Amino acid sequence: MRCTAAGEHAGCVTWYRAAGQLPLSESGAMSERPTPERPRGIDRVPDELPLMLAQTTVRAIEGVGGYAGGVYLRSSTPGLLRLAVLAGLPGRLFRPWWRMHVNRPFPVAEAHRSGQAIHLADAEEAMRRFPQLMAGLPFPFGSLYAPVVSGRERFGVLAVLRAATPGTPVSHADRLRLHNAAKWLGAALARLSDDGRTVEWDGEPVPVQLPTVTTTPVRVGNVEWNLDRGVVSADDELYGILGVDSATGADAFEALAERLAPEDVYGLWIVARQVAESGTPTSHRIRLQGPDSRPHLLEFSWRADRPGGGPGTRLTGSLVDLGTGPIVGEATDRLPRGVFSLDRLGRITYLNHSAETLLGRPQAELVGRVLWEVVPWFDNDAYEDHYRAALLSSDPVHFLARGGADDWVSVSLYPGHGGLTATLTAAEQPPYRPGSMVLPGTGLGSTADQAPAPYRPVALAIALTEAVTARQVSAVVTEELLPAFGGRQLAIYLMSERHLYLAWETGFPQGFLSPFDGVGLDARLPGVETLTSGRPIFFESMERLAEAYPGIPMDANVGARAFLPLIASGRPVGTCILGFDQPRDFSAEERTVLTALAGLIAQALERAQRYDTEAALARGLQDALLPHRLPVLQNVDTVGRYLPGTQGMEVGGDWYDVVETDQGLALVIGDVQGHGVSAAATMGQLRSAVRAFALSGHDPQEVMSGTNGLLIDLDPGQFASCCYVLLDPETGSTQAVRAGHPQPLLRHPDGGTDVLDLRGGVVLGVDVKAAYPVTELFLEPGAVLALYTDGLVEEAGVDIDLGIDRLRSTLEAEIGSASLAETADHLIRKATQAPDRPDDIALLLAARWAEAS
């Protein structure tokens, strides 16, 4: 069974057929219950799988004191989890989290990969371990994740969100409750799988409304007052509300009078007389304060005791114990501001008269509907973060919304366990730049319509994934992070051997940071203590910084400072310091976002350090493998040049070599696919193989075929191009063989330059039976042969033939008096000027002279 439709499962918390068997005990264990009989009036029972998921989710949420949760299930796409059930939150607002690939750095993915539960007590712990999660949801909440497994079969992850508990870890009891819920669900899904049903989810998540938190129930007692006889009688429920034992036979009026405030007793008499004297069917209400100070509502109505009747015969009434429910209609209708409430799925459950006016719709059209679906100007991407913040945190959220061309509304959202209470007041147009707010219904289509919204690190995260070196990471932070928060200064320190070393700075006075370079972790400095404590430190002004750290050197800046710990996967990486020109406050959301972004930066820097280490190893390996000097012969000069790329590892598999053999002088150039240590290592093996075959007396075709076979036997998962030229220095007779490599250039003594047309075979490492035909050439005295790798002639968006033609023209235009070394430098000079060079370059020039030069 594969579930794809969400709509057919709506309301699946109303009736649990299979999942009705899994209550959570105090210990967290799941106990078995007989399946209840089907309630009357329910004509359709939801599908078994979403029903089971919904029940487990609700029980888990209730068990650990959460307010929302869900279940991720594997899908038909390998490696992709999909949110199958979402309880306590509106699905639309959390659409970016509906899909989760198992290799992503999020707690859901890690719990599924590792098979281990993850418990995050608060946002600070989550930011240290999963900065990507908090970067997208920078709100103070706690979360728990348990893998849903059965044996070795992994079905998904059960997740619960709850209020943060800063400084208090998740209790053992709550961990056990969540574990047992996930364990039960895993066993239940395994049974479905054993029955031949496909346990996968490919549709949208099923929405689930959580049961209301249990409150004191509303009770109603009945009373009858015979005014002619002066007798008041009541039922047991009324006596129960008043806290009187009905068996005592106490008079109901006396019981009321004894337990009411004096002013309420007089009010009761007045209501009774008004009803009795009216002479017509009527009713009157009065609110009374009960013995436990909770409000009660008493309503009296007149009733004739005989046909035709007369005034004052008999009164019947009902006493309603309002419990602790939100009976607030009369009170809020008197307020000058709008008040409305939403459940956790965003549906309007109540609104007062002022809210009707400000929202522009009558109550009948609003209650029971989702706010942003029924009020068009609330349906705006600019406000979604505010809704998410209110639903995930316990802090109030305030923002301005535009209800019309000139109508502005100040909105405040007050979160609670069962939903949100909102207030609305008419507001003046804010002092934003013209056109910076979103017009109703226009969306975010143009820059003029975009509203200021909390910074989200999408651009920063994307840019950081492309940054490879620590310098590139720092540059990305400077370009993306500083402008977003209005910062002017940035310093990044990296830790090495328990000391912090300045890796990047911008905006600080020259030399100001030098005294802090290389400080130990025992120094009392905010940049040190933020790393050793793992907590960010914010100062609204330099005066605050000076108060906290007396004697610390200050620059001329009078603004604020933020010190952020750079911690990746629990390991300290360094410290990031942000400086601002003016004093400023840091809101709770800004602090959360900055701390989460510091985690992203730390991970990028840690990755960059690994790259730097591997690059240094690869460069050292390549330096050792490339020839440090070339042979000096009477009739031939040779010059080699190597230029690493400026992207990635800066080290590739390009090489050149010149080998003196009994058959002549071997000129070799090659290019291993890829970069890094692996490419350099493969290059070293190929260079050694070519030298060995050449020195063993093999002809060019055998050298190439033997090297091809060796690469296939080694099976490094890489292939290589190569060009091998065997030159007789005395006669100029030349044999050339090519394996997928760019054609060499030949500059004749008169300056004319040709692109050679060497027959060739496929690249090395692909086909063990590949043939490599030999081409016969002749090098005249004064001729120059140029061998090169494709990095010299390739350019993004330009045909490689154009690059080869430019190289040919450059070589042809070289002045005859230039030395071979000068010619080589000139050929690669343009490449050295390119700031972004994805590939490395190898160049080998060989010039034949009539006599020793």
Side-chain angles (χ1 to χ4, degrees):
M1 173 186 63
R2 180 175 298 161
C3 299
T4 57
E8 61 178 314
H9 308 309
C12 58
V13 294
T14 308
W15 162 243
Y16 303 109
R17 180 180 60 189
Q21 307 170 12
L22 40 111
L24 279 170
S25 68
E26 286 299 317
S27 66
M30 304 296 259
S31 58
E32 294 291 332
R33 264 188 202 165
T35 303
E37 293 184 3
R38 177 173 173 173
R40 293 181 181 179
I42 296 183
D43 299 324
R44 184 182 49 154
V45 177
D47 189 86
E48 185 175 8
L49 178 60
L51 195 59
M52 184 185 301
L53 301 176
Q55 173 69 0
T56 306
T57 301
V58 171
R59 292 293 186 182
I61 293 171
E62 292 177 338
V64 302
Y67 54 71
V71 175
Y72 282 86
L73 278 189
R74 63 193 184 189
S75 68
S76 60
T77 302
L80 181 67
L81 301 177
R82 294 188 70 105
L83 186 60
V85 162
L86 180 62
L89 291 173
R92 172 183 158 181
L93 294 186
F94 295 86
R95 181 179 290 273
W97 294 271
W98 285 8
R99 296 158 53 93
M100 181 66 61
H101 200 279
V102 296
N103 64 3
R104 297 294 304 282
F106 287 86
V108 168
E110 183 169 312
H112 184 75
R113 288 195 311 266
S114 66
Q116 301 295 319
I118 295 173
H119 309 101
L120 305 174
D122 56 16
E124 185 174 329
E125 183 179 2
M127 283 185 287
R128 286 197 300 267
R129 297 182 59 186
F130 302 97
Q132 285 87 345
L133 171 68
M134 301 310 296
L137 296 171
F139 315 117
F141 65 95
S143 53
L144 296 80
Y145 309 85
V148 178
V149 300
S150 179
R152 295 186 177 182
E153 190 167 10
R154 301 181 182 185
F155 293 104
V157 176
L158 172 63
V160 174
L161 307 183
R162 67 180 195 175
T165 56
T168 303
V170 178
S171 68
H172 174 73
D174 286 344
R175 295 176 186 228
L176 184 60
R177 291 186 181 99
L178 187 70
H179 166 78
N180 284 329
K183 181 180 178 181
W184 187 95
L185 181 58
L189 295 178
R191 288 193 293 271
L192 289 180
S193 181
D194 292 341
D195 290 341
R197 304 177 184 179
T198 303
V199 181
E200 293 176 349
W201 196 269
D202 289 310
E204 297 183 359
V206 171
V208 178
Q209 175 70 310
L210 293 174
T212 304
V213 178
T214 302
T215 61
T216 304
V218 176
R219 296 183 295 173
V220 179
N222 297 305
V223 62
E224 189 174 276
W225 192 346
N226 190 313
L227 295 179
D228 293 338
R229 294 186 295 164
V231 176
V232 178
S233 58
D235 59 12
D236 291 341
E237 191 67 20
L238 184 139
Y239 284 111
I241 294 172
L242 298 176
V244 178
D245 185 357
S246 60
T248 62
D251 181 84
F253 186 82
E254 292 179 1
L256 276 171
E258 288 178 2
R259 284 162 177 77
L260 298 179
E263 59 270 26
D264 286 342
V265 174
Y266 282 102
L268 178 63
W269 269 105
I270 293 172
V271 168
R273 287 184 178 275
Q274 287 177 337
V275 173
E277 293 172 358
S278 65
T280 58
T282 186
S283 64
H284 279 67
R285 293 178 179 177
I286 183 172
R287 291 188 184 274
L288 306 175
Q289 183 172 310
D292 55 1
S293 298
R294 287 190 292 106
H296 300 323
L297 178 68
L298 181 64
E299 179 176 299
F300 275 123
S301 61
W302 173 87
R303 175 180 142 196
D305 198 28
R306 55 186 180 274
T313 310
R314 178 179 298 182
L315 302 177
T316 59
S318 299
L319 182 67
V320 181
D321 175 8
L322 301 179
T324 58
I327 308 298
V328 295
E330 293 179 9
T332 60
D333 279 339
R334 292 190 289 268
L335 294 176
R337 67 178 58 186
V339 178
F340 65 91
S341 60
L342 307 174
D343 65 16
R344 294 202 64 85
L345 299 187
R347 296 176 300 197
I348 301 172
T349 57
Y350 166 80
L351 72 162
N352 67 353
H353 294 330
S354 296
E356 286 183 279
T357 301
L358 289 170
L359 294 177
R361 303 282 293 275
Q363 186 181 62
E365 296 180 8
L366 295 172
V367 172
R369 305 282 298 279
V370 176
L371 173 65
W372 41 86
E373 292 179 358
V374 71
V375 182
W377 48 271
F378 265 123
D379 183 18
N380 197 294
D381 293 343
Y383 309 143
E384 286 192 2
D385 267 323
H386 300 304
Y387 305 146
R388 282 191 286 263
L391 288 166
L392 293 181
S393 72
S394 57
D395 299 326
V397 175
H398 311 281
F399 62 97
L400 285 174
R402 192 169 190 172
D406 298 312
D407 297 329
W408 294 86
V409 179
S410 176
V411 184
S412 295
L413 303 176
Y414 299 91
H417 191 279
L420 306 176
T421 296
T423 62
L424 302 172
T425 54
E428 298 293 328
Q429 180 172 341
Y432 299 140
R433 58 180 173 82
S436 67
M437 294 300 288
V438 179
L439 295 174
T442 64
L444 296 172
S446 66
T447 55
D449 288 338
Q450 290 182 3
Y455 178 70
R456 289 294 172 266
V458 176
L460 177 64
I462 294 173
L464 285 176
T465 61
E466 299 174 351
V468 176
T469 66
R471 190 171 186 84
Q472 289 173 340
V473 171
S474 302
V476 166
V477 176
T478 302
E479 295 168 2
E480 294 287 346
L481 185 60
L482 279 185
F485 287 89
R488 293 293 181 267
Q489 298 170 316
L490 171 71
I492 292 179
Y493 288 82
L494 297 180
M495 192 184 75
S496 176
E497 298 181 352
R498 297 188 58 78
H499 287 76
L500 289 174
Y501 296 94
L502 183 61
W504 178 275
E505 66 170 306
T506 182
F508 286 93
Q510 186 174 5
F512 173 75
L513 296 176
S514 298
F516 306 106
D517 192 12
V519 298
L521 296 187
D522 56 349
R524 189 176 185 277
L525 294 169
V528 173
E529 293 185 354
T530 188
L531 181 62
T532 56
S533 67
R535 299 175 182 273
I537 304 174
F538 298 92
F539 295 102
E540 290 79 5
S541 66
M542 298 303 287
E543 289 79 5
R544 294 288 181 87
L545 176 58
E547 292 172 4
Y549 294 88
I552 188 173
M554 297 283 181
D555 63 359
N557 196 322
V558 297
R561 286 283 191 276
F563 297 85
L564 307 174
L566 301 179
I567 299 174
S569 303
R571 293 185 294 274
V573 175
T575 297
C576 178
I577 303 174
L578 300 179
F580 301 85
D581 288 345
Q582 300 295 326
R584 57 164 292 170
D585 292 329
F586 295 93
S587 68
E589 183 173 357
E590 284 181 319
R591 293 174 185 235
T592 302
V593 171
L594 284 171
T595 307
L597 293 177
L600 292 178
I601 297 167
Q603 290 185 345
L605 286 170
E606 185 184 47
R607 186 175 64 249
Q609 288 177 322
R610 288 197 302 268
Y611 272 110
D612 289 341
T613 300
E614 187 178 348
L617 175 61
R619 281 193 295 269
L621 178 60
Q622 189 167 49
D623 288 341
L625 294 173
L626 287 173
H628 290 177
R629 68 181 184 87
L630 300 179
V632 178
L633 302 174
Q634 285 188 343
N635 300 91
V636 176
D637 281 348
T638 56
V639 172
R641 294 289 186 266
Y642 173 77
L643 193 66
T646 59
Q647 290 184 356
M649 296 296 301
E650 299 186 3
V651 176
D654 291 20
W655 90 95
Y656 61 87
D657 203 358
V658 178
V659 185
E660 291 185 83
T661 73
D662 293 338
Q663 289 76 32
L665 188 66
L667 308 172
V668 189
I669 196 162
D671 183 0
V672 177
Q673 165 259 339
H675 295 80
V677 174
S678 177
T682 302
M683 177 269 284
Q685 292 171 314
L686 293 183
R687 178 172 178 255
S688 298
V690 171
R691 289 183 68 90
F693 285 120
L695 292 172
S696 299
H698 292 84
D699 62 37
Q701 186 178 28
E702 292 171 335
V703 171
M704 198 65 72
S705 297
T707 305
N708 176 54
L710 176 65
L711 183 57
I712 291 174
D713 289 340
L714 291 174
D715 191 22
Q718 294 169 312
F719 56 85
S721 67
C722 185
C723 186
Y724 180 89
V725 177
L726 184 62
L727 168 65
D728 185 337
E730 294 184 1
T731 66
S733 176
T734 304
Q735 293 179 302
V737 63
R738 191 171 60 88
H741 201 79
Q743 296 280 5
L745 302 181
L746 179 60
R747 185 177 188 271
H748 301 289
D750 61 0
T753 303
D754 298 325
V755 179
L756 297 179
D757 185 16
L758 304 183
R759 293 180 295 166
V762 298
V763 292
L764 304 176
V766 175
D767 182 6
V768 71
K769 297 180 180 180
Y772 299 98
V774 175
T775 301
E776 300 284 347
L777 301 172
F778 176 70
L779 261 65
E780 303 173 78
V784 177
L785 182 67
L787 307 177
Y788 55 91
T789 56
D790 54 10
L792 186 60
V793 292
E794 280 188 330
E795 185 177 342
V798 178
D799 192 292
I800 191 173
D801 290 337
L802 295 178
I804 294 175
D805 189 60
R806 280 198 300 265
L807 180 64
R808 183 197 61 76
S809 299
T810 304
L811 182 59
E812 185 175 70
E814 276 297 289
I815 301 173
S817 61
S819 68
L820 198 63
E822 290 173 335
T823 300
D825 291 338
H826 185 78
L827 291 177
I828 68 169
R829 185 169 296 130
K830 181 180 179 182
T832 62
Q833 296 171 352
D836 195 15
R837 190 172 57 257
D839 204 358
D840 47 355
I841 295 171
L843 173 67
L844 178 62
L845 299 182
R848 180 170 177 260
W849 309 109
E851 57 183 22
S853 59

